[in-house]
Amino acid sequence: MVTSVNGASLAALLAQEQAAANRASAGGASPQPATRPAGAPDPAVVYAGASGAPSLSAVLGLTDSLNRAASISDVGISAGQTIAGLVSMLRDNASAVQGGAGDPQALNANYQGVLAAIDQLATSASFQGVTMLDGGSDQDLSFQADLAGGTTISLASQDFTTGGPVLGLAGTDLLGGPDDLQALLAQIDAASGSLGERLGQMSAQSDQIQAHLGVVSQLQSALSSGIPAGEGADEARLQALAVQQALAGQTTSLANQAPQALLSLFRG
């Protein structure tokens, strides 16, 4: 858990902001907290902007950015899960040929059709023109994650095509001998494991986006409630400070996504 914002503890900042609000309501001045380093910006202003309180339009813009990221992520995960099912079909076909359970030519034709379906799905699964499963980019997709635009949240671009590094099944068939089929089954199992690992990473990133959306929606609700300008300034500042702290914690956990995705594979 993040316990500080700009060098001061959250509890201390909240206490200082509340004290300032109490003094303001009593008609007194609202001096800057004495513990803030000289020249350091007000934490609420850092998050909310120079006006001291975030505008509803700015929050809506941030929500749009995060919603777009969530939609792209959802489409990618759904397509990836479908591809995982198709990889299982590849294994079923290979196992059937190995066990002599069907016509090798017919099973191979079906196998080739499944490979083509995987490629079609990986290249066509997109949202608003953004495709993240075709290996077309080696850059992560980045989206605005705070009002100031200084923080981003990323979605890792993937390559789930049959010729990509995750699956590596392009050009394979079921027409080889017993040793070839055994090697192919091992190759398919490795591809399935790699695909599952990448889907776990994508799910962790999706959870992160949803956590951001949940925090931002709280601020949006507060601003949409119609607090009069001036009368609720301190309340808005405290809301902004709380949201800044929550987003700071969420952003810090981005660095742990990959390890957590790997660990989740070993949880029963």
Side-chain angles (χ1 to χ4, degrees), residues 13-242:
L13 288 171
L14 286 174
Q16 291 159 2
E17 292 289 338
Q18 188 60 61
N22 291 337
R23 286 193 294 272
S25 64
S30 300
Q32 292 292 324
T35 58
R36 184 175 301 145
D42 185 325
V45 174
V46 170
Y47 182 78
S51 64
S55 68
L56 181 57
S57 61
V59 174
L60 290 175
L62 176 57
T63 301
D64 286 344
S65 174
L66 293 174
N67 276 329
R68 184 167 183 263
S71 296
I72 293 172
S73 177
D74 289 345
V75 169
I77 290 173
S78 179
Q81 291 171 340
T82 302
I83 289 173
L86 293 174
V87 171
S88 295
M89 292 179 61
L90 294 177
R91 195 185 199 289
D92 290 342
N93 283 307
S95 295
V97 172
Q98 186 186 47
D103 178 14
Q105 293 292 337
L107 288 169
N108 183 62
N110 187 63
Y111 180 92
Q112 298 302 323
V114 174
L115 288 177
I118 290 174
D119 282 336
Q120 181 179 13
L121 187 57
T123 56
S124 63
S126 65
F127 179 80
Q128 293 183 347
V130 177
T131 305
M132 60 179 298
L133 302 183
D134 63 352
S137 173
D138 58 0
Q139 300 289 327
D140 290 351
L141 303 173
S142 296
F143 302 87
Q144 180 183 350
D146 69 351
L147 294 178
T151 303
T152 61
I153 190 168
S154 298
L155 293 175
S157 181
Q158 306 289 346
D159 187 350
F160 288 172
T161 62
T162 58
V166 177
L167 298 183
L169 296 172
T172 59
D173 60 51
L174 306 181
L175 302 179
D179 291 342
D180 295 326
L181 289 172
Q182 187 61 42
L184 177 59
L185 283 170
Q187 188 176 353
I188 294 173
D189 288 341
S192 181
S194 296
L195 182 59
E197 183 178 327
R198 294 299 182 93
L199 285 173
Q201 182 185 50
M202 292 172 67
S203 295
Q205 291 175 332
S206 177
D207 291 343
Q208 190 67 42
I209 293 169
Q210 293 300 328
H212 269 69
L213 275 169
V215 173
V216 173
S217 67
Q218 296 176 15
L219 181 57
Q220 181 179 332
S221 297
L223 293 173
S224 299
S225 64
I227 300 174
E231 295 181 15
D234 291 307
E235 182 175 351
R237 285 163 61 83
L238 289 173
Q239 286 275 0
L241 183 59

